[in-house]
């Protein structure tokens, strides 16, 4: 079996939109905790925000291409909520902060739209398998072990100035 559960045969099969959305959702789930950039003063939050926004944009394009999203009550509520955030952003006194968010947070319009897109995509397309749960458990264990090392002062990855002053 291949990465997306397709049989590795001689013939090439076209990926469905559902398989692509699942791939990008799991890419986000698996990799986001590990995203880090040793460059600049925003080594933790900004790279994660950029990764989140890019994956969400790709998934949004796939959702618009597929047009099979069920417009049930919860989806309508999410769309109304996002619409209210857009209106709030338009009338904001600090447009940049409303769109991108504050430093070390990045919880602006882009993030809220990303959360909405990811929720709708996961609600309609995400297929949870035993294999995906096992991968999440292994990655969670790796992250936990690394956290224990950090607790005891062992951290091979250099910290930015902000996080180095917290210890």
């Amino acid at each position: 079996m291949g990465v997306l559960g397709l049989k590795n045969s001689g013939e090439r099969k076209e990926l469905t939109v559902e398989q692509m959305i699942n791939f990008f959702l799991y890419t986000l789930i698996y990799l986001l905790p590990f995203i880090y950039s040793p460059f600049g003063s925003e080594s933790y939050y900004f790279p994660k925000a950029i990764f989140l926004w890019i994956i969400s944009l790709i998934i949004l394009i796939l959702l618009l291409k597929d047009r099979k999203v069920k417009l049930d009550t919860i989806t309508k509520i999410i769309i109304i909520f996002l619409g209210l955030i857009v209106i709030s952003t338009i009338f904001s006194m600090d447009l940049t902060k409303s769109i991108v968010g504050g430093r070390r947070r990045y919880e602006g319009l882009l993030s809220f739209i990303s959360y909405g897109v990811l929720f709708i995509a996961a609600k309609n397309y995400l297929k949870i398998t035993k294999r995906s749960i096992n991968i999440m458990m292994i990655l969670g264990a790796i992250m936990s072990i690394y956290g224990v090392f950090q607790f005891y002062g062992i951290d091979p990855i250099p910290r930015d100035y902000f996080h180095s002053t917290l210890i």
Side-chain angles (χ1 to χ4, degrees):
M1 289 279 192
V3 174
L4 295 175
L6 299 176
K7 292 182 180 174
N8 291 330
S9 61
E11 66 183 70
R12 186 172 169 102
K13 293 186 178 181
E14 193 69 26
L15 292 176
T16 66
V17 172
E18 180 178 342
Q19 289 169 323
M20 287 188 278
I21 289 174
N22 266 286
F23 173 78
F24 286 111
L25 285 170
Y26 278 116
T27 298
L28 187 69
I29 292 167
Y30 295 156
L31 296 182
L32 190 65
F34 295 96
I35 300 292
Y36 171 83
S37 172
F39 308 107
S41 63
E42 294 285 333
S43 58
Y44 291 96
Y45 306 111
F46 190 63
K48 289 178 191 299
I50 294 293
F51 185 69
L52 173 77
W53 298 337
I54 290 170
I55 296 293
S56 298
L57 177 63
I58 292 168
I59 291 174
L60 177 62
I61 291 168
L62 291 169
L63 288 173
L64 293 173
K65 178 182 174 186
D66 197 34
R67 298 179 188 225
K68 291 183 182 172
V69 173
K70 300 173 193 99
L71 283 176
D72 57 358
T73 304
I74 190 75
T75 303
K76 290 175 186 175
I77 291 171
I78 295 291
I79 292 170
I80 290 168
F81 176 69
L82 293 175
L84 291 172
I85 293 175
V86 168
I87 292 168
S88 175
T89 300
I90 291 169
F91 292 107
S92 170
M93 293 178 72
D94 187 349
L95 197 59
T96 303
K97 192 175 248 183
S98 292
I99 293 172
V100 178
R103 253 187 91 122
R104 289 195 251 301
R105 292 294 301 171
Y106 303 104
E107 294 291 329
L109 176 67
L110 293 175
S111 292
F112 278 105
I113 289 174
S114 295
Y115 301 150
V117 166
L118 294 173
F119 174 80
I120 291 168
K123 185 174 93 41
N124 288 283
Y125 292 93
L126 187 63
K127 302 290 183 235
I128 300 173
T129 63
K130 184 173 176 132
R131 180 175 180 239
S132 65
I133 291 172
N134 289 337
I135 292 170
M136 283 186 258
M137 298 289 282
I138 291 167
L139 294 175
I142 291 168
M143 189 62 75
S144 299
I145 291 167
Y146 188 77
V148 170
F149 284 137
Q150 285 181 318
F151 179 78
Y152 288 107
I154 303 167
D155 194 355
I157 298 177
R159 294 173 170 266
D160 60 18
Y161 175 75
F162 176 75
H163 288 91
S164 65
T165 59
L166 293 177
I167 295 178

